[in-house]
Amino acid sequence: MRLSKGIDLLNALIVVTVIAAFTVAFILAINAFGAVSSLRVGEPSVNSSGSVVEISFPISLSNSGPFAVSDIRVSAELRDFDGSLIASASSQPFSVPAGARGEQHYLPIRVALSEIPQERLSALFSNARNLTLGATAGAALAPFVSVSVHLSGDIPWNPPVKDFELGDPVLLGYNSTHIVASIPVRFENSADIAVEGTVNALFVDADTGSEIGSGYLEVDAPPRSEFAGELQFALRLPENASALMLEERTFRCNATFGFRVFGIQVYSVTSPFELAWGPPVGSPYLGSPSVAPYNSTHSMFRLPFGFTNANELVTLDGSARLGLEIGGSLVAESAPVGVHAPPGSAFSGELTMLVPNWALSAPGTLIITLETQFGIASVEVPVNG
Amino acid sequence: MAKLLDLEVSRASIAVRLILGALLGALGFLVFYYVPANFLRLASDVLRMEIPPQAAGVLSSLVDPALPLVGLALAPAIFLCALFRGTKAYGPLTVALSLLFATYVFLWFHGGAISLALSIDPIGGGVPMEPSMSIRVEMAMLMALFLIPPILGVAKGVLLMLEKDRRR
């Protein structure tokens, strides 16, 4: 009797559990279909703070229930062609309770650029290669079903800084300690990401290795565009700047251009670099001197002189003086003659001074002194009376 | 009157049992064997379109290869249960049928988790990526819920056998 009651009870339980199982399966299907069909993913927003880039995906989800859609999460990782990890990110899991309508959530994915090794970052910015993206998304209708989706694939990576080129530098200005110049910078952003940041340039003397200048350039290169800009920089003049007045010179240096994006240096390239300097007092010449009696004790000494300002930038302003030194003593000196020579122009003038007659027959040294914005430079010419 | 194993039944009852068993067995054959064995063709007929090869691969992987075989075994088991209901064979047949159902449920749910590998078209939106996708659905709890009726069926079969033994 008890057994037959037990059998009846089992029959009833079997019916109940079959109905319950199919009911739960049906409700789960409706629940899942409703949630998936209500899913909306908006345009991602990108924010950066320091070297951390946060990509936030707004999603909207409704859940008619009765089960909560829980443990919704997204994670992604990007690997280099050799399988080494470049970046990984994951969102905090969240849930959408039963009955929620159009609930807004944000799936933030944070990438810390500073955690990517510098060499790898630099290679990524300059070399084309294949990257592997793996993304995993998951959700659960607890406690019965959980779903995880894994997406992976190779992405051809085009470098953001391709065919980096420097043009010919142009002198822009100078002061007593520095010259300012600009250099055309060009590269192609062949990537699908924008390059927004700065290019910082550091100039190092090619001979001594000491730092002689720096400059920077704002960069804003949209995806798949060519960027061209002028990088301005200042080069420190040598301590003996007066030599620059007379000497043709080539500043040879190694320039290192560092790209800073999101506050960290992502790529740097070093290139040899030359800047030609033409002497503001180029091809100086002295004409034939002439002497004419002035009075019983002195004669008038005239010396024509001239030069060409071979510098493309500098207008030479100052004065020239003539002196005669005999036995280490200055025996005659002219009044200063004004000098004004715009770039590329020829300048000629005449220096005159009264010379004691006795000095005309004594061996000595004519000293021509130029006093300009570069300082004082002298030319000494021996004379034998 | 006729004897069906240890049970005296009328000829009409035997006829009813045979007809009912054949109907239930045919229904079981249709639902548990024919549908999963011809899943792709039936899906194509219902949708009135040729299933693309990629989707066909995914749909095929939804059906465990052993599922139609177990479904094929269920049809005669259902027939025999209907025929020998109330006899001494009913208890062991109920246990066997329940175990077959349990196996069927286990295979239907792929042991509690199903993994699907999808090859999908390149992603649009300017992203030059040819992705591969895999989906894993964990449904062990749902499977456990569906396993309860067969487990109860096994218990019922055991009780039926005990009841027969006690009557002897």
Side-chain angles (χ1 to χ4, degrees):
Chain A
M1 193 65 183
R2 278 186 184 172
L3 280 176
S4 62
K5 277 192 175 175
I7 291 166
D8 290 343
L9 181 64
L10 282 174
N11 278 333
L13 277 174
I14 287 169
V15 172
V16 168
T17 52
V18 165
I19 292 170
F22 278 98
T23 305
V24 167
F26 179 75
I27 291 171
L28 278 173
I30 297 289
N31 201 156
F33 183 78
V36 170
S37 59
S38 75
L39 178 66
R40 300 281 181 275
V41 181
E43 285 288 314
S45 62
V46 180
N47 295 306
S48 66
S49 171
S51 62
V52 176
V53 181
E54 186 174 285
I55 305 162
S56 190
F57 293 86
I59 70 161
S60 157
L61 193 66
S62 296
N63 180 18
S64 54
F67 299 102
V69 182
S70 60
D71 201 21
I72 301 169
R73 66 206 180 279
V74 173
S75 63
E77 60 180 34
L78 191 64
R79 291 185 179 275
D80 210 342
F81 70 100
D82 58 0
S84 49
L85 187 68
I86 294 171
S88 65
S90 58
S91 69
Q92 292 290 321
F94 67 91
S95 298
V96 177
R101 296 211 164 271
E103 203 163 287
Q104 280 279 349
H105 286 270
Y106 291 90
L107 280 174
I109 292 181
R110 291 162 60 86
V111 178
L113 289 177
S114 59
E115 290 172 9
I116 303 173
Q118 183 63 50
E119 314 85 69
R120 193 170 296 285
L121 205 54
S122 194
L124 279 172
F125 264 77
S126 55
N127 297 328
R129 54 184 61 203
N130 269 346
L131 305 181
T132 303
L133 175 70
T136 302
L141 284 170
F144 293 105
V145 177
S146 68
V147 181
S148 64
V149 179
H150 181 75
L151 185 76
S152 69
D154 284 346
I155 303 175
W157 171 260
N158 295 310
V161 182
K162 186 183 172 190
D163 299 335
F164 181 82
E165 285 176 7
L166 296 177
D168 292 327
V170 178
L171 284 168
L172 297 178
Y174 69 98
N175 60 23
S176 58
T177 56
H178 290 81
I179 56 174
V180 179
S182 77
I183 186 166
V185 171
R186 190 205 147 274
F187 67 86
E188 182 188 343
N189 178 5
S190 58
D192 294 310
I193 61 167
V195 178
E196 293 172 9
T198 58
V199 175
N200 296 298
L202 185 69
F203 297 88
V204 174
D205 190 300
D207 300 323
T208 64
S210 59
E211 183 186 332
I212 56 168
S214 62
Y216 91 103
L217 171 66
E218 297 277 352
V219 173
D220 183 1
R224 298 187 178 279
S225 69
E226 283 207 358
F227 175 82
E230 298 278 334
L231 185 143
Q232 284 198 11
F233 60 94
L235 285 185
R236 196 178 67 238
L237 290 173
E239 284 183 10
N240 180 18
S242 58
L244 290 175
M245 208 166 16
L246 299 164
E247 291 175 8
E248 184 177 346
R249 190 148 178 179
T250 302
F251 294 98
R252 286 187 180 83
C253 45
N254 290 319
T256 300
F257 299 87
F259 284 75
R260 288 184 79 83
V261 177
F262 297 122
I264 65 164
Q265 181 154 313
V266 293
Y267 171 59
S268 70
V269 58
T270 299
S271 176
F273 168 83
E274 288 186 356
L275 183 63
W277 173 265
V281 183
S283 310
Y285 67 90
L286 297 175
S288 299
S290 61
V291 179
Y294 183 72
N295 59 24
S296 59
T297 57
H298 287 78
S299 296
M300 181 61 76
F301 184 90
R302 296 175 194 277
L303 179 67
F305 79 103
F307 62 86
T308 302
N309 183 351
N311 195 285
E312 297 171 358
L313 172 77
V314 173
T315 296
L316 194 72
D317 281 307
S319 61
R321 276 182 292 119
L322 179 65
L324 177 63
E325 205 175 81
I326 293 175
S329 300
L330 189 66
V331 297
E333 190 175 29
S334 73
V337 172
V339 170
H340 175 76
S345 67
F347 175 83
S348 61
E350 189 177 69
L351 295 162
T352 59
M353 64 180 173
L354 287 172
V355 180
N357 289 335
W358 64 265
L360 293 173
S361 55
T365 305
L366 278 174
I367 301 169
I368 301 131
T369 304
L370 274 171
E371 193 170 341
T372 67
Q373 65 266 47
F374 289 101
I376 299 171
S378 296
V379 178
E380 296 185 356
V381 181
V383 289
N384 293 317
Chain B
M1 293 292 278
K3 194 161 189 180
L4 194 63
L5 296 179
D6 58 332
L7 193 65
E8 291 277 344
V9 290
S10 64
R11 289 184 186 278
S13 172
I14 289 178
V16 169
R17 284 168 184 257
L18 281 171
I19 292 167
L20 191 65
L23 283 174
L24 289 174
L27 189 64
F29 177 85
L30 187 73
V31 173
F32 299 120
Y33 169 74
Y34 187 78
V35 171
N38 299 280
F39 184 60
L40 267 184
R41 193 167 56 79
L42 291 171
S44 181
D45 288 347
V46 169
L47 297 172
R48 292 180 181 175
M49 59 178 280
E50 190 74 24
I51 308 260
Q54 289 178 342
V58 174
L59 289 175
S60 299
S61 62
L62 286 174
V63 180
D64 191 288
L67 192 73
L69 295 177
V70 178
L72 194 61
L74 274 170
I78 290 168
F79 171 77
L80 291 174
C81 274
L83 181 64
F84 292 110
R85 183 180 172 83
T87 68
K88 63 180 179 184
Y90 186 52
L93 280 172
T94 302
V95 171
L97 182 66
S98 299
L99 288 175
L100 279 172
F101 264 120
T103 308
Y104 195 88
V105 167
F106 184 83
L107 294 174
W108 173 264
F109 286 100
H110 293 260
I114 182 168
S115 294
L116 300 172
L118 309 175
S119 58
I120 54 179
D121 291 335
I123 288 176
V127 180
M129 181 181 178
E130 290 184 9
S132 63
M133 183 188 269
S134 64
I135 300 175
R136 184 174 170 82
V137 185
E138 300 271 357
M139 43 195 175
M141 285 297 289
L142 192 62
M143 183 184 74
L145 190 63
F146 273 84
L147 279 173
I148 293 172
I151 290 167
L152 292 173
V154 171
K156 177 188 165 186
V158 171
L159 287 186
L160 284 170
M161 285 190 283
L162 287 174
E163 191 184 44
K164 279 289 171 191
D165 282 349
R166 189 173 286 182
R167 281 185 186 171
R168 264 184 234 165

